[in-house]
Amino acid sequence: MRHILTPQDFSVSELDSLFNLAADIEANPKKYANACRGKKLATLFYEPSTRTRLSTETAMLNLGGSTMGFSDASNSSVSKGESVADTIRTVSCFADIAAIRHPKEGAAMVASQVSGIPIINCGDGGHQHPTQTLTDLMTIRSLKKRLNNMTIGLCGDLKFGRTVHSLISAMSRYDGIRFVFISPDELKVPDYVIEMLESKGILYDEVIKLDDVITRLDVLYMTRVQRERFFNEEDYIRLKDFYILTRKLMRKAKNDMYVLHPLPRVNEISVEVDSDPRAAYFQQVQYGVYVRMALILTLLGIHVNEDGSVTEKTV
Ligand code: NCD
């Protein structure tokens, strides 16, 4: 059985197949409309979410399957003290695949060790968020027509942002990638990520001012300051508006420098930027549905033939 806990669970060539499948789904949605008929997705969300949960559910519904789950753990037996492991053992009896988001790092891994069904990690604390990364890569690939040879700037909360950690580890597998990390000192990329880059000889810069580097970037990945992971509110208030991407700043950027953001946005991108053709963050949401459809099919071992019939294989 196959799970996705980090983007590394898929090789670069498997990712390529996944993105090709997602592109075929985008081009021929009808072909896939019944691919998961009779299959059930459980969404177990112990933390708030709009996009990830609804996108994963939409993906299953678009494939003709159905969904169940909770979006607020206080309504589930978790409030009675049930462990993640026991919850997932139970859910394995009901559903064919489960998507889980949890505030603790490693929760999805714990779930996968006892699960009878594939687990999709939809975010474990400040650690990883692989399906957001699949979304990000699919967006970059579709807009830039490549995933190699580019300078990617990541800006904002690089310490607590799990989407940042997943994206760096995924992008570091492509040739010719150079990272520019843009953050205040307190929110720098964790040491373990820097050590990984250094061990692979991947080039990176760490800077504080976006203004100084924006002209060099091919992709700018903005993030919000992760309020819920701060130990005190004062630090959050001091850092929350450290970066605000404005139309004025966008004038300095390349004509084909796309702006991505996992969303939700708070203040870090001014709404005046939304009408800039390089603002790709809402397109990104749409790509997230195609890529999650491709992921569900892959984890369930469902191959869709040209006529829409399906072949199931054991994964
Ligand atoms: C992200 C997350 O939950 O980590 N959101 C998302 O899933 N698109 C980013 C964030 O909350 O800042």
Side-chain angles (χ1 to χ4, degrees), residues 180-192:
V180 183
F181 300 134
I182 309 144
S183 75
D185 269 339
E186 294 93 327
L187 299 178
K188 280 165 80 170
V189 175
D191 290 345
Y192 80 89

Side-chain angles (χ1 to χ4, degrees), residues 256-307:
D256 60 352
M257 183 209 74
Y258 289 100
V259 182
L260 275 68
H261 190 309
L263 302 178
R265 149 178 64 187
V266 186
N267 264 335
E268 56 283 350
I269 303 179
S270 165
V271 289
E272 66 185 21
V273 175
D274 295 0
S275 55
D276 188 307
R278 296 167 292 178
Y281 27 94
F282 290 110
Q283 255 171 296
Q284 204 178 337
V285 177
Q286 184 62 61
Y287 284 121
V289 176
Y290 304 133
V291 93
R292 288 184 174 98
M293 289 170 75
L295 178 67
I296 291 172
L297 290 174
T298 306
L299 293 179
L300 288 176
I302 295 175
H303 175 78
V304 179
N305 304 308
E306 274 314 310
D307 63 356

